[in-house]
Amino acid sequence: MRDGPDIAYVAALIGDPARANILTALMSGKALTATELSGEAGVSLSTASSHLSKLEAGGLVRARKSGRHKYFSLASDDVASVLEALMGLAAGTRQLRTRPGPRDPELRRARVCYNHLAGDMGTRMYRCLLDRGILIAKGDLLDLSEAGRAFVGTFGIDLDALPRSRAPLCRDCLDWSERQAHLAGQLGRAMLARMEDLGWARRVAGTRIVRFTREGEAGFAETFGAVEQRL
Amino acid sequence: MRDGPDIAYVAALIGDPARANILTALMSGKALTATELSGEAGVSLSTASSHLSKLEAGGLVRARKSGRHKYFSLASDDVASVLEALMGLAAGTRQLRTRPGPRDPELRRARVCYNHLAGDMGTRMYRCLLDRGILIAKGDLLDLSEAGRAFVGTFGIDLDALPRSRAPLCRDCLDWSERQAHLAGQLGRAMLARMEDLGWARRVAGTRIVRFTREGEAGFAETFGAVEQRL
DNA sequence: CTCATGGTTCGATCTTAATCGAAGCATAAC
DNA sequence: GTTATGCTTCGATTAAGATCGAACCATGAG
């Protein structure tokens, strides 16, 4: 029965507390240096370095060196997806949540998932885009409709300017706190970036929290419809 | 940055080779006894028992005892989803596939994913159901259309007879080999079961492989359309 | 009842790998 | 050039947990 890819290797990679902390920190979407990550993980620089090389060898993170700094980030959206899915399991599965934490409500409301908007507001935006026919779901694939291209344009995003990478334009990603999908992929990244440019929201340093301004709340509500909380 | 659910615990649970083998074996969808699983994992009965109690405590597997046997199965579709996702990472990520294995092509063609059809044929069926409007994708949620109810009925599935559990009727699940979605949930389970009833396919004992008969291939092609391999 | 079988628990052993500090390298600042 | 900073490598220590066999419990078969 030992068919298929060997899960154990990847899972063990994620399964160490220090490495899990590192990966969680990278879910913020920011590229972080080894020193910063050692702090996040609560571990000495040398051990962090060792962990990072393992994560890189395992294809979970990607490193770019710039000068005497080495910046680490998640290797792909796929990795972020798996991490979110694991969080979903961990949240639902553990008998007692260790510490719900004071920041928990804020995290559930709006947070960053690698580089796109997640949490309640993320899933709300996603549902709205679907309801309006801006996005068209084809199974797990997402298409941007003609109307959608227009919408995105007026929102201030230049599609042609997006990096033409291997990564798909639209993807969905299962949200651990809402247990619904939110928008990922290049477009998801661009949407969040645009909201930050507009001054709607900004990330809280050192966390995954995204905090909306008063104007941001208003703009978001206007653009993505009424706030009807889940059905 | 230590916000959100703690991934490490769950990931470490999956990350031990013996436990990973156990979980992979349970992906066959069959409930297996501790003794059988110890064989699958290549480990003594006592260690398997220890692993199983950890997996149960962690909420990954569920145990039912019947007489002096104790049957283990995956705790939920969610767990199966996460395992498939991890397989996707492991398949894409590892620099050199350890051993593609002789059964690999068969696995990629048609296999069981917990209790529904996966692999090339699984994703083909899924795409067909969407194209014909039998299933309607609403983000990550799937609805069965009116036409769909009729279709499912003529295929020989009594929807009302399905267990009315907490689990959703339709779900999608990301296929590790095809990197596309296939159908999961109660309906996915029922579809596969019906195919087995019809004599279209049967599971190969001791593996996740699903092998179609000649008539099964024909019926499948007729029911789910031309065989146009991926676009 | 006795016996066999499936499973769990216990204790001891042993391997793996996480950890740190110190030393070494490379790059940038001066 | 010299010095400081970011990171890696090395070696030694240590702790966690995977493993097994033996003893033990529970259930079903006879």
Side-chain angles (χ1 to χ4, degrees):
Chain A
M1 192 74 76
R2 320 250 182 82
D3 306 310
D6 118 6
I7 317 184
Y9 174 74
V10 187
L13 226 37
I14 308 175
D16 174 81
R19 284 193 294 260
N21 284 336
I22 288 176
L23 292 170
T24 306
L26 291 177
M27 282 290 275
S28 72
K30 294 184 57 164
L32 298 170
T33 67
T35 312
E36 289 169 321
L37 288 169
S38 75
E40 294 290 346
V43 99
S44 88
L45 175 60
S46 60
T47 60
S49 172
S50 152
H51 284 311
L52 284 166
S53 63
K54 284 173 191 171
L55 288 173
E56 191 180 7
L60 294 183
V61 310
R62 202 164 51 97
R64 273 162 306 182
K65 53 171 30 168
S66 149
R68 61 180 160 182
H69 293 268
K70 196 166 176 184
Y71 289 97
F72 292 89
S73 50
L74 294 186
S76 70
D77 268 18
D78 286 321
V79 176
S81 260
V82 168
L83 294 179
E84 274 276 317
L86 275 172
M87 289 182 196
L89 257 199
T93 255
R94 290 230 53 179
Q95 43 288 51
L96 56 153
R97 285 282 289 107
T98 357
R99 19 153 202 73
R103 305 199 279 212
D104 213 61
E106 271 197 286
L107 267 184
R108 285 171 188 276
R109 174 155 171 74
R111 69 174 175 280
V112 76
C113 172
Y114 187 31
N115 50 33
H116 45 268
L117 184 64
D120 178 45
M121 300 195 70
T123 55
R124 258 158 55 197
M125 178 177 87
Y126 183 70
R127 280 199 304 270
C128 165
L129 295 179
L130 279 171
D131 287 346
R132 293 215 202 154
I134 288 166
L135 289 176
I136 305 206
K138 267 282 214 180
D140 60 331
L141 297 178
L142 286 172
D143 262 349
L144 189 61
S145 67
E146 266 316 308
R149 293 184 170 271
F151 170 85
V152 168
T154 55
F155 190 59
I157 293 174
D158 181 4
L159 282 176
D160 298 324
L162 291 184
R164 203 159 274 308
S165 75
R166 208 172 51 76
L169 181 63
C170 312
R171 270 200 49 186
D172 57 5
C173 178
L174 189 60
D175 199 286
W176 70 258
S177 57
E178 301 297 313
R179 306 191 73 75
Q180 294 180 32
H182 58 242
L183 179 64
Q186 294 283 352
L187 184 60
R189 177 195 304 243
M191 293 291 288
L192 177 58
R194 179 61 180 153
M195 291 185 199
E196 294 180 272
D197 283 348
L198 286 171
W200 283 14
R202 63 167 215 287
R203 313 189 186 187
V204 178
T207 72
R208 293 175 63 193
I209 294 174
V210 172
R211 197 170 283 156
F212 275 74
T213 62
R214 188 195 305 273
E215 305 78 43
E217 293 275 2
F220 187 94
E222 186 178 350
T223 312
F224 300 111
V227 190
E228 35 89 27
Q229 287 286 40
R230 70 208 57 172
L231 311 173
Chain B
M1 193 73 77
R2 318 248 183 85
D3 307 310
D6 116 2
I7 318 183
Y9 173 75
V10 187
L13 227 37
I14 308 175
D16 175 81
R19 285 194 293 262
N21 284 336
I22 288 176
L23 292 170
T24 306
L26 290 177
M27 282 289 277
S28 72
K30 293 185 58 165
L32 298 170
T33 67
T35 314
E36 289 169 321
L37 287 169
S38 75
E40 293 292 345
V43 98
S44 89
L45 175 59
S46 60
T47 59
S49 173
S50 153
H51 285 311
L52 284 167
S53 63
K54 285 172 191 169
L55 287 174
E56 192 180 3
L60 294 184
V61 310
R62 201 165 51 97
R64 275 162 303 182
K65 53 174 25 169
S66 149
R68 62 180 159 183
H69 292 268
K70 196 167 177 184
Y71 289 96
F72 292 89
S73 50
L74 294 187
S76 70
D77 268 20
D78 286 320
V79 177
S81 261
V82 168
L83 294 179
E84 275 274 316
L86 275 172
M87 288 183 197
L89 259 200
T93 255
R94 292 230 54 178
Q95 43 288 54
L96 57 153
R97 284 281 289 108
T98 358
R99 21 154 201 71
R103 304 199 279 213
D104 212 61
E106 270 197 286
L107 268 183
R108 285 171 188 276
R109 176 155 169 74
R111 68 176 177 279
V112 73
C113 171
Y114 187 31
N115 52 33
H116 45 267
L117 184 63
D120 178 46
M121 299 194 72
T123 54
R124 258 158 54 196
M125 180 177 85
Y126 183 70
R127 280 198 306 269
C128 166
L129 294 179
L130 279 171
D131 286 346
R132 292 214 202 155
I134 286 165
L135 289 177
I136 306 204
K138 266 279 210 181
D140 62 330
L141 298 179
L142 286 172
D143 263 348
L144 189 60
S145 67
E146 267 314 308
R149 294 184 170 273
F151 170 85
V152 168
T154 54
F155 190 59
I157 292 174
D158 182 3
L159 281 177
D160 299 323
L162 291 185
R164 204 160 275 306
S165 74
R166 209 174 49 77
L169 182 63
C170 311
R171 271 198 50 187
D172 58 6
C173 177
L174 189 60
D175 199 288
W176 69 258
S177 57
E178 301 299 313
R179 306 189 74 74
Q180 294 181 33
H182 58 241
L183 178 64
Q186 293 284 349
L187 185 59
R189 179 197 302 246
M191 292 291 288
L192 177 57
R194 179 61 180 152
M195 289 185 200
E196 293 180 273
D197 284 348
L198 286 171
W200 282 14
R202 61 166 217 289
R203 311 188 187 188
V204 177
T207 72
R208 293 175 63 194
I209 295 174
V210 172
R211 197 170 282 156
F212 276 74
T213 62
R214 187 195 306 270
E215 305 80 43
E217 295 275 2
F220 187 95
E222 187 178 351
T223 312
F224 301 109
V227 190
E228 36 87 29
Q229 287 286 40
R230 71 210 55 172
L231 311 173

